[in-house]
Amino acid sequence: MRKFLTTLIILLMFSAQVEAISYEDSTFAIDAINQKLRAWKCTPLKIWYAGDECNNAENIAYMNELAAGHGFEQKFTACMVFYSDFRSPPDDGKISAWNPDTDYKNWSWYFGFYDDGTWKLLTWGY
């Protein structure tokens, strides 16, 4: 599944205008999103980059405000946003945050960039 999603994002990147994020950045983001979805026992359906326009002062300020609220001292200098569609796990009888066997669409994933060259997945949701 990872290979399929990585191929899909590469195709989307080449078919659209050239974006500022690198292949390594997008691969990191896709891997992080897939790991989180797997931990939730959800099935990824589609993952896509929101575009360079999301790397703006307003989003960077939002990310830094969230980071400060979590006690992070280092400031983000850039932001990348991805969206995903995924399917929640079937009903297993346990209480869950998800509606069982449901498709969730346009779930956002915000990554902040530190000047040392690392990205951090900071927040996700609607």
Side-chain angles (χ1 to χ4, degrees), residues 14-41:
F14 283 120
S15 65
Q17 63 183 0
V18 175
E19 306 288 358
I21 68 166
S22 70
Y23 171 79
E24 290 79 17
D25 296 339
S26 64
T27 300
F28 166 79
I30 290 167
D31 286 346
I33 293 165
N34 277 319
Q35 286 176 15
K36 188 63 76 174
L37 290 172
R38 276 194 303 273
W40 296 338
K41 297 183 171 71

Side-chain angles (χ1 to χ4, degrees), residues 36 40 62 66 98 107-110 121-126:
K36 188 63 76 174
W40 296 338
Y62 167 68
L66 288 176
W98 310 111
W107 193 266
S108 63
W109 304 85
Y110 280 72
L121 174 57
L122 185 62
T123 190
W124 52 83
Y126 284 124

Side-chain angles (χ1 to χ4, degrees), residues 5 30 33-34 37 40 42-50 81-87 103-109 124-126:
L5 291 172
I30 290 167
I33 293 165
N34 277 319
L37 290 172
W40 296 338
C42 294
T43 304
L45 302 173
K46 180 178 165 186
I47 298 172
W48 66 97
Y49 178 54
V81 178
F82 279 76
Y83 288 98
S84 69
D85 296 346
F86 61 90
R87 185 155 193 82
D103 287 351
Y104 287 80
K105 300 202 178 273
N106 299 314
W107 193 266
S108 63
W109 304 85
W124 52 83
Y126 284 124

Side-chain angles (χ1 to χ4, degrees), residues 73-93:
E73 294 180 18
Q74 198 173 5
K75 297 283 186 189
F76 295 116
T77 59
C79 174
M80 71 176 165
V81 178
F82 279 76
Y83 288 98
S84 69
D85 296 346
F86 61 90
R87 185 155 193 82
S88 64
D91 190 355
D92 62 1

